[in-house]
Structure formats: C-alpha cells, structure tokens
Amino acid sequence: MPVIEVTNLHKRYPGKVAVHDVSFSVERGEIFGILGPNGAGKTTTVESVIGLRRPDGGTISVLGLDPVRDRDRLTARVGVQLQQSELPERMRVREALELYSSFYPDPADWRELLDQLGIADKADTAFRKLSGGQKQRLSIALALVGNPEVAVLDELTTGLDPQARRDTWEVVQRVRDRGVTVLLVTHFMEEAEYLCDRLSLIDAGRVVATDSPTGLIARVDAELRLRFRVSGPLDTAVLTALPCVTSARRTGPQVLVTGTGDLLTQVSSALSAVGVTPTDLRVEHTTLDDAFLALTGRKLVG
C-alpha cells in the first residue's frame, strides 16, 4: 500500500481552479517530487495532503489515514516544512526545537540537526535575528525533529546559497536512508534531478507526467548536443555527412551539432581531418528543463 495516495484531487478558489484532477502515489522510503512553476498548484496539493486544505473533490490517504478527518493522528507521524512559517520574534532557536521535541515520543537530537544544517552556532539566537536562509534551515530542522515517518518539504532550499542548498540535500538523503518517506515540492530542476526517485510534473493545476527524472528525459529526446567555437572557415556539410549527426548549425564563431551515439569522437575526427581546431567544446545532454519544455510547451520559471 502506498504511503501517500492522491486520486483525482480537485481544489477551487473563487474564480480559479488551483488543482484539477491530480493523481499520484508515493511508495515507502522514496523521495517523491512535485515539480512545477510558481502558481502551478504545487502548494495547494501538498497542503491538501497534510490536511491544511479540504479538497473539493477526490481522495487522499496518508499512512492509511484521511488527512482532514484524522489530522490529529497524523500530526505525530508527519513532519512538515512549509514555504513560509513564523515563530515568536524573541524565541531562541534552541527554545523552538526543545518545544517541538516535547510534542513527540521519540524526537531526533536537535543539536545534531542544527549541526547538519550548518546553524549550530545559532542555537541561542532569537528568531527575529536570523537571516532568511537561517530561518529556512530552522524550519527544516523543526520538520525533522519529531523523527517523522513522512516528511513533507515545500520549496526546501528557497533562499539558501548554493553550498547551503547542497548541504541540505545531503541532510534529506540521510533522512531517507533512515526509512523516512519524503514528499518534496520544488521549482528547482537541479534539486529535483539530484534528490528525487520519481516526480510528477505539474503545470496549471494538472499532472503532465510522472516518472523518474531519467525516465522523463528519455520520453523527450535521446539526442546529444555538441557546442564549440571555431575561428576560421568551416563547411557544416562536413559534419552533417556524419551518420551520428542530425543537424549542424553555425552562428558566427559558435557551432551547435546535435546527434546520437559517439557524437564527440566522430565530430572531433571530422574537424581534425579538415584542419579545424574547436575551442570551448562541451557536450550537453537533454535535461529535466528540456523535458518540461517539451511536455508543457514552456520553460519552467519560478
């Protein structure tokens, strides 16, 4: 039985359908992502999953319980980090974690969580004196301090610098390695690709596709792109004649070649044969961003 099962979820606000017929399931021990632009319905979906919103249609089961009817029973088993959360301005970090720890029968070591999240030195700092990124990391610690069976993380690393983002990803992976099921909401492609076992692409309140990151990419395009610069003349027909090349286009000094198979070796040999030396050469693979564009017709933007 899936840990989380959402079937035909529908949620309407005045003048707007936020979520339309969304369905997905999350298996025990996986990191499942909900990926889409701001306004796509991601937060409404996750707030319905944790019982903060009452759906207008469809069914939701979390650990075999109804999030609205059984919300009190789920509270001790599900940890939640929302996009925005506030604490009393004068409450110190350690006070908040000690308070939250007291709600659970077997809490995690909050000092260890602070250390893993890089804010151990802020334990005696008042909430109002924390930066935006530090508040975000405290929010993650509060979500995990109860040793939950399920962790729901909404826009996990918004406001964090690149190193703090990577550190936070490692914390989430360690949490999953302890058997916790993670539902992750994000609009960061790299985050989804790095962390998620599977994910649903959501756009305009609908699920566009559900698969592993690799599976979603494979649905769209298996081609490679080779990009480089040349300083002298180059007849692109030399490249389009290669069996692995599907197209070759030159714009000023930059050349873009698309193809499959051993593209790099064949193109490099062909260029060498005509005396052309490429510079700034790089191979580009199809990305999750490309998959989202192909499946929805538009770029994912925050």
Side-chain angles (χ1 to χ4, degrees):
M1 181 179 180
V3 172
I4 300 172
E5 190 158 24
V6 177
T7 306
N8 306 125
L9 176 64
H10 188 93
K11 182 64 182 177
R12 174 186 291 274
Y13 299 118
K16 178 185 179 183
V17 176
V19 177
H20 183 75
D21 204 31
V22 164
S23 298
F24 61 87
S25 63
V26 183
E27 301 300 324
R28 186 172 299 278
E30 76 174 337
I31 300 177
F32 186 93
I34 298 177
L35 175 67
N38 290 337
K42 304 188 307 297
T43 294
T44 296
T45 297
V46 82
E47 287 180 348
S48 299
V49 167
I50 61 178
L52 290 180
R53 303 277 181 189
R54 184 182 292 272
D56 296 320
T59 61
I60 301 174
S61 171
V62 181
L63 296 167
L65 301 172
D66 182 290
V68 175
R69 186 181 62 244
D70 304 313
R71 187 176 172 192
D72 289 344
R73 294 171 63 189
L74 276 175
T75 298
R77 302 174 68 186
V78 178
V80 179
Q81 172 259 327
L82 297 175
Q83 275 193 55
Q84 295 181 332
S85 57
E86 293 293 326
L87 292 171
E89 288 192 349
R90 295 184 180 181
M91 178 175 277
R92 299 182 186 279
V93 168
R94 71 165 55 249
E95 293 172 338
L97 286 159
E98 287 171 349
L99 175 63
Y100 273 59
S101 294
S102 71
F103 299 153
Y104 302 98
D106 183 29
D109 183 341
W110 59 263
R111 296 167 187 82
E112 182 179 330
L113 282 173
L114 290 187
D115 186 58
Q116 291 172 348
L117 290 163
I119 51 171
D121 61 336
K122 300 298 178 182
D124 293 310
T125 302
F127 181 76
R128 63 183 172 85
K129 292 186 177 180
L130 298 176
S131 68
Q134 290 163 352
K135 289 179 179 178
Q136 183 76 346
R137 281 179 271 182
L138 173 58
S139 179
I140 296 167
L142 293 173
L144 300 177
V145 75
N147 266 330
E149 294 174 58
V150 177
V152 179
L153 307 173
D154 189 1
E155 298 295 358
L156 174 70
T157 57
T158 297
L160 301 187
D161 62 61
Q163 185 57 55
R165 182 171 294 156
R166 287 276 176 170
D167 292 343
T168 303
W169 293 351
E170 291 179 9
V171 172
V172 173
Q173 288 181 319
R174 285 196 292 269
V175 167
R176 190 270 298 278
D177 290 343
R178 297 204 304 261
V180 178
T181 302
V182 179
L183 179 60
L184 174 69
V185 181
T186 185
H187 66 270
F188 291 123
M189 290 291 184
E190 185 184 8
E191 184 163 278
E193 202 161 355
Y194 186 90
L195 283 176
C196 295
D197 299 301
R198 292 187 305 126
L199 55 91
S200 282
L201 300 183
I202 294 185
D203 188 41
R206 298 174 182 268
V207 172
V208 178
T210 300
D211 207 333
S212 67
T214 301
L216 288 169
I217 292 169
R219 290 188 191 192
V220 175
D221 192 358
E223 284 194 329
L224 301 174
R225 293 185 296 273
L226 193 62
R227 196 183 298 271
F228 56 89
R229 300 171 72 87
V230 294
S231 57
L234 171 65
D235 184 356
T236 56
V238 171
L239 302 177
T240 54
L242 298 173
C244 66
V245 171
T246 55
S247 70
R249 184 176 73 252
R250 178 172 182 173
T251 306
Q254 183 167 276
V255 181
L256 175 63
V257 182
T258 61
T260 57
D262 196 9
L263 184 66
L264 177 60
T265 300
Q266 291 193 31
V267 168
S268 297
S269 295
L271 292 174
S272 177
V274 295
V276 173
T277 301
T279 58
D280 298 332
L281 187 149
R282 62 185 185 272
V283 179
E284 300 173 351
H285 297 267
T286 302
T287 66
L288 200 52
D289 201 14
D290 297 324
F292 189 88
L293 174 62
L295 291 165
T296 67
R298 63 194 185 97
K299 283 277 188 182
L300 190 153
V301 294

